[in-house]
Amino acid sequence: MNLGLGPVRMTRGMALLRVALVGCGLISEAHARAYAGHHDRARITVCFDTDLSRAAERADAIGARVASSYEEVLTDPEVDSIELCTPPHLHTDQVIAALEAGKHVSCQKPLARTLGECDAMIEAAERSGRVLFYAEMYRTMGVAVRAREVVESGRIGKLVGIQATYAHWQGGPYLDTPWRYNPKVAGGGQLLDGGIHHIALMRLVGGDVEAASCFTNRIRPELGGDDTATVILRFAEGHLGTLMSTQAAGTWFPGPGFVAFGTEGILTIGGPYGGLVVHHDDLPDRREVLISERADAFGEMVGHFLDVVLDGVPSRATAQTGREDLRTVLAAYRSADEGRSVLLSELP
């Protein structure tokens, strides 16, 4: 059995993973491009979307064929895995059906809208023995994994706190995907749609979260739910964290999107100094660039998924991880609603 928590090897003895791309909206382009970068290990062979013309357009661009229904995808013996890029309210039923059909699944974040939905998917993965992968690129990108290693090595001393910023103006073609702004479909507002990326990164580096406090705001009436949130986290090991998350800022935040503060130094991701940088008074120029530029995060995510499925590598993006990211966001939303700090243990 497999919960998506550990290694699983391909049982069909295939050198090439045959993938169905389900959901051919905006984000599917990045996923398709990522698979093209791993063409020696996997191919998208089938595309499906409830808008068949959109599926055909994506299929034509990558040389795949079009399925006329999700059921056709599930019964196709030449599909080994599903790359699921559909809205969150569809995830649970689609994931469970795919696992029961014997397919591996990579499910776009957020994993689901509720913890119960997550649990149903995790249980289905356990029954099926197939991989359920949480497609959250901030769990698998090289700068994030290295950042965790640097913190764990003690290079910046004892971790004091973490600061993350997700700030930009959500617009352009994203405004043409109205489900994103319907909390009943998406499960929440921008904190769940975009801010969860940085929640994932904060948890990757900082560890388990014990409590969350949050204030939310809605500045742009065209966006449903919250478009701005400030979250304060207390981690199980005692350090603190803050997240400024907004889709109402006039441009992308130009500074480091992630900072880890330690008693002996500071670590930053992004901003003017490089992809991953350690700052310390004893270093030349008081800093050392560990990674100069960030790689393609979607390419790294797909590569890790293939490592898990084809080579049995332990997963850094498990379904349980997706559940815990969601639990942190839901605790933050409860805090905003009730005006108090919320322990994560209060959620199932």
Side-chain angles (χ1 to χ4, degrees):
M1 295 188 297
N2 178 60
L3 284 166
L5 303 177
V8 170
R9 294 186 178 276
M10 284 290 292
T11 57
R12 302 181 187 182
M14 299 186 63
L16 193 71
L17 193 72
R18 300 166 298 184
V19 180
L21 179 63
V22 175
C24 297
L26 283 174
I27 203 64
S28 69
E29 180 178 0
H31 287 255
R33 186 173 61 248
Y35 274 97
H38 296 279
H39 63 274
D40 58 328
R41 305 177 71 198
R43 301 280 176 83
I44 295 176
T45 57
V46 179
C47 294
F48 170 69
D49 192 286
T50 52
D51 183 342
L52 293 179
S53 64
R54 188 161 59 183
E57 181 179 353
R58 180 68 63 219
D60 288 344
I62 61 178
R65 54 191 171 84
V66 177
S68 60
S69 67
Y70 189 53
E71 290 71 22
E72 181 181 332
V73 172
L74 297 181
T75 57
D76 190 336
E78 296 186 355
V79 170
D80 306 304
S81 180
I82 293 182
E83 188 71 17
L84 196 62
C85 299
T86 57
H89 73 302
L90 300 176
H91 286 179
T92 305
D93 289 344
Q94 291 178 332
V95 165
I96 291 173
L99 293 168
E100 291 178 345
K103 316 296 186 185
H104 301 289
V105 182
S106 173
C107 181
Q108 172 74 16
K109 67 81 199 164
L111 190 63
R113 300 170 300 172
T114 70
L115 300 181
E117 290 177 344
C118 291
D119 292 338
M121 289 188 279
I122 291 171
E123 291 167 4
E126 181 180 33
R127 291 193 304 269
S128 70
R130 295 298 175 187
V131 169
L132 173 54
F133 185 84
Y134 174 44
E136 169 51 74
M137 59 187 181
Y138 278 56
R139 293 288 308 183
T140 58
M141 60 186 186
V143 290
V145 174
R146 183 73 182 281
R148 176 175 178 168
E149 293 171 350
V150 171
V151 170
E152 288 182 337
S153 74
R155 184 165 184 190
I156 64 170
K158 179 178 174 58
L159 193 59
V160 174
I162 291 171
Q163 179 178 292
T165 304
Y166 164 76
H168 74 116
W169 183 269
Q170 184 75 293
Y174 279 93
L175 293 180
D176 295 329
T177 52
W179 66 261
R180 288 181 178 274
Y181 312 112
N182 182 346
K184 292 183 179 179
V185 174
Q190 65 79 35
L191 183 60
L192 185 57
D193 179 55
I196 196 170
H197 285 305
H198 287 71
I199 292 291
L201 179 54
M202 295 172 79
R203 290 188 58 254
L204 175 66
V205 177
D208 291 336
V209 173
E210 186 176 85
S213 297
C214 179
F215 291 96
T216 62
N217 201 359
R218 185 175 178 184
I219 298 169
R220 301 177 58 190
E222 69 271 26
L223 303 184
D226 58 286
D227 59 44
T228 301
T230 299
V231 182
I232 302 174
L233 301 176
R234 183 172 75 243
F235 290 85
E237 294 185 6
H239 48 272
L240 305 176
T242 62
L243 168 64
M244 175 61 187
S245 182
T246 181
Q247 292 178 346
T251 186
W252 279 101
F253 177 60
F258 180 87
V259 183
F261 301 92
T263 55
E264 298 176 17
I266 293 174
L267 179 147
T268 58
I269 295 178
Y273 298 117
L276 182 66
V277 183
V278 168
H279 305 261
H280 194 287
D281 288 346
D282 295 336
L283 292 170
D285 298 324
R286 300 179 64 187
R287 60 181 175 269
E288 178 184 353
V289 178
L290 303 180
I291 299 176
S292 58
E293 296 182 3
R294 293 167 62 167
D296 173 30
F298 282 92
E300 291 177 313
M301 180 177 68
V302 167
H304 183 59
F305 173 60
L306 297 178
D307 290 341
V308 173
V309 173
L310 297 176
D311 301 326
V313 172
S315 177
R316 293 194 296 267
T318 66
Q320 187 66 35
T321 295
R323 185 189 192 277
E324 286 302 296
D325 287 352
L326 176 64
R327 189 161 75 127
T328 303
V329 172
L330 295 180
Y333 277 146
R334 180 179 291 187
S335 169
D337 289 341
E338 299 181 2
R340 64 180 181 89
S341 179
V342 173
L343 295 172
L344 264 70
S345 59
E346 296 180 45
L347 281 71

